[in-house]
Amino acid sequence: QEEREASKKFFELIRRWCRWLSDVFPWIERLESTSRTGERLALAGNPLSLTVKEFLGLKVLSGLALATGVAILSLNLFGILSFPFFFLVGLFLPEIWLRRVFWKRTQDLESALPEMIDILTILVTAGLNLNLALPKVTEKLTGVLKTETKKVVREMELGLPRVEAFENLMKRNKSDQLRGFISV
């Protein structure tokens, strides 16, 4: 329990640093579109619940940490002169991480899709309509597909037409397999 509290405090400290760095280095927001960054975070499932500002600050933090680490470890002119290079490399490390999270999320979703289709087929064949079958399918699923299906069911319960709920699902996920299934 104490370890969990300590890691939670550490993570919150990192989040505060990221927000602060985003304010201190406002050029990072001008380098890339914040709406595009927000879209990429959403497609990756909003990992660690990072906001766009925190993610941009994380990029700066990563760049500063890598460049400073190399400069300190080398303790020579190379370390000092290579600071800008390693800072730029560090800026891209969170992007690589985000792409990895996006890829893993998509793989998890696509691997669970056949099971969802099987369960849905059984329920619809047994006489349930799609609106009643989806919540039952959600109970049987795990992982990303369960979360996404819950969102679809919740949107439909709130009165959003099924077509729009499925369109939102496709906007949140860039899986060709999922897109093919939904279009059917």
Side-chain angles (χ1 to χ4, degrees):
Q1 183 68 7
E2 289 178 21
E3 288 179 18
R4 183 177 289 158
E5 281 298 316
S7 65
K8 196 180 224 183
K9 287 179 182 177
F10 178 73
F11 183 67
E12 189 52 43
L13 178 67
I14 296 293
R15 289 176 86 95
R16 264 189 266 131
W17 283 350
C18 289
R19 287 190 296 268
W20 178 76
L21 285 170
S22 184
D23 290 336
V24 171
F25 296 95
W27 53 265
I28 191 74
E29 289 185 29
R30 283 177 258 153
L31 276 181
E32 59 183 85
S33 164
T34 53
S35 63
R36 177 75 178 116
T37 302
E39 182 182 315
R40 288 194 333 268
L41 283 168
L43 288 173
N46 289 320
L48 306 175
S49 301
L50 289 172
T51 64
V52 172
K53 187 174 195 161
E54 289 169 344
F55 182 73
L56 295 176
L58 180 63
K59 291 176 74 166
V60 173
L61 179 64
S62 173
L64 288 173
L66 182 64
T68 304
V70 168
I72 289 172
L73 289 175
S74 65
L75 291 175
N76 59 23
L77 190 59
F78 168 77
I80 295 168
L81 293 177
S82 65
F83 190 91
F85 171 75
F86 284 106
F87 178 78
L88 290 174
V89 169
L91 282 177
F92 289 103
L93 291 177
E95 290 290 338
I96 293 168
W97 168 74
L98 188 64
R99 287 181 187 188
R100 172 101 171 100
V101 170
F102 166 73
W103 179 82
K104 173 131 178 44
R105 185 175 192 276
T106 303
Q107 292 295 89
D108 289 349
L109 188 137
E110 289 179 350
S111 68
L113 194 57
E115 181 183 0
M116 177 186 169
I117 293 170
D118 288 346
I119 296 168
L120 199 57
T121 302
I122 291 168
L123 292 172
V124 170
T125 304
L128 289 177
N129 70 20
L130 192 57
N131 290 355
L132 294 174
L134 274 175
K136 297 213 178 290
V137 169
T138 303
E139 295 170 8
K140 306 287 184 199
L141 297 174
T142 59
V144 176
L145 195 54
K146 178 177 186 149
T147 305
E148 289 298 330
T149 308
K150 274 185 175 180
K151 288 178 185 177
V152 169
V153 169
R154 192 172 328 121
E155 287 176 348
M156 288 171 30
E157 288 173 350
L158 293 173
L160 198 65
R162 182 174 40 204
V163 173
E164 288 183 39
F166 281 126
E167 285 174 358
N168 290 342
L169 175 64
M170 287 192 295
K171 288 177 190 173
R172 290 190 304 266
N173 300 282
K174 295 292 182 199
S175 166
D176 291 334
Q177 291 179 12
L178 181 65
R179 186 172 301 281
F181 167 69
I182 290 172
S183 66
V184 171

